[in-house]
Amino acid sequence: MPREREPADRRPPRARVPVTVHASAGEACRAVAGEIAALIAERSAAGRDTVLALPTGRTPRAVYDELARLHREGRLSFRRVTAFTLDEYWPLPATDPRSYRAFMARHLFTRVDVDPARAHGLDGGLPAAALPGACDAWERAIAAAGGLDLALLGIGRTGHLAFNEPGSPRDGRTRLVALHPITRADAAADFGSPAEVPQQALTMGLATILGARRVRLLACGARKASIVRAALAGPVGTDVPASVLQEHGDVRAHLDAEAAGELGAAE
Ligand code: GLP
């Protein structure tokens, strides 16, 4: 008797965006770094700047290590790069070592030749009254730089992109948001305890991110598998903010085999 195929509804769903599955997280990070380096090199050679939106988190650290290595070896210059960090805790002074500004300085900006005046971070030390103006200025700065050429994104276990938690509007811009309890629990190790993680954060909005001409998602590890499946193969909706990536015209997800573990194989 011919073997029956597994019923369609039992098979893992296929991603609705292009996906590259890498053998390891290190390989995924090197591939992403290679693409960023190639974009910078190509645009620099043509006398053009490259505008990047960059994430924090554990996942992209090896991307930054690789970019720093390419720079150290004289193969990559950030002189024509403008960078915008995706988000920042609030309230948290920029001088706090747990701030994303400090993270980006440590992991990338002080290791390459980017102009410090062009390595932008939202300021978590501002008073509440100054935030609306600062968020508007941030959007204007991205536009004045010519818009984002590439947004590199991680994904949180709530499905957040940057700090756009479930419920974030598709047309949202840079603003102050409340962090989800899961996100705060995931950040607890960086702050000593969950109670010390700020309740709020500043984040680029989904519309700001989707305005990038190229979007690359990087996710690694088994703990991301179910949210990767929901984001890339599930319905598009505000309950899984990263699902809006399905609507971008130049998006690719770089996953390791573990993060891709709940997705069906591409045909
Ligand atoms: C934080 C950041 C996100 C990042 C996420 C995942 O919440 N705000 O931009 O994508 O962490 O982090 P990790 O790579 O450590 O899993």
Side-chain angles (χ1 to χ4, degrees):
M1 239 178 80
R3 215 151 122 211
E4 273 181 41
R5 294 188 70 189
E6 211 179 327
D9 57 3
R10 299 271 300 278
R11 273 180 276 141
R14 289 194 190 90
R16 300 201 188 104
V17 305
V19 169
T20 306
V21 182
H22 300 270
S24 67
E27 215 172 88
C29 289
R30 280 190 294 278
V32 166
E35 180 175 356
I36 294 172
L39 180 68
I40 295 171
E42 182 193 311
R43 294 181 65 88
S44 297
R48 296 160 78 193
D49 292 342
T50 305
V51 184
L52 304 173
L54 296 174
T56 57
R58 279 168 285 280
T59 315
R61 285 184 198 178
V63 174
Y64 300 144
D65 288 344
E66 177 69 1
L67 291 172
R69 185 182 71 85
L70 292 171
H71 171 67
R72 211 169 44 240
E73 293 175 358
R75 294 154 65 188
L76 176 65
S77 172
F78 279 70
R79 274 192 297 270
R80 298 211 65 137
V81 171
T82 300
F84 292 89
T85 303
L86 286 168
D87 47 11
E88 180 61 278
Y89 293 106
W90 186 88
L92 192 67
T95 49
D96 190 303
R98 298 164 300 184
S99 71
Y100 282 168
R101 192 177 286 219
F103 176 101
M104 289 305 298
R106 209 160 48 233
H107 290 280
L108 184 65
F109 297 150
T110 58
R111 302 167 80 191
V112 297
D113 58 346
V114 69
D115 177 352
R118 290 171 61 173
H120 302 282
L122 288 155
D123 186 353
L126 291 174
L131 297 181
C135 291
D136 285 351
W138 183 259
E139 291 281 338
R140 283 199 305 277
I142 293 172
L148 301 170
D149 292 302
L150 185 148
L152 176 61
L153 307 170
I155 185 170
R157 289 194 304 134
T158 59
H160 69 214
L161 297 179
F163 272 140
N164 292 279
E165 298 285 23
S168 294
R170 161 75 180 74
D171 59 358
R173 292 282 167 186
T174 304
R175 69 201 186 287
L176 183 68
V177 295
L179 296 178
H180 192 283
I182 292 177
T183 300
R184 294 185 63 236
D186 282 351
D190 297 329
F191 282 86
S193 80
E196 284 184 57
V197 180
Q199 308 263 2
Q200 290 172 285
L202 297 166
T203 185
M204 286 194 205
L206 292 176
T208 322
I209 291 168
L210 293 175
R213 287 179 273 282
R214 206 188 283 194
V215 177
R216 297 295 180 261
L217 177 74
L218 177 63
C220 299
R223 58 200 285 280
K224 297 288 174 71
S226 64
I227 197 64
V228 162
R229 167 187 164 138
L232 304 186
V236 176
T238 55
D239 50 337
V240 182
S243 64
V244 299
L245 293 176
Q246 295 179 34
E247 296 176 347
H248 195 278
D250 186 351
V251 60
R252 176 169 291 275
H254 288 273
L255 310 174
D256 69 355
E258 291 181 339
E262 294 188 23
L263 289 174
E267 286 201 316

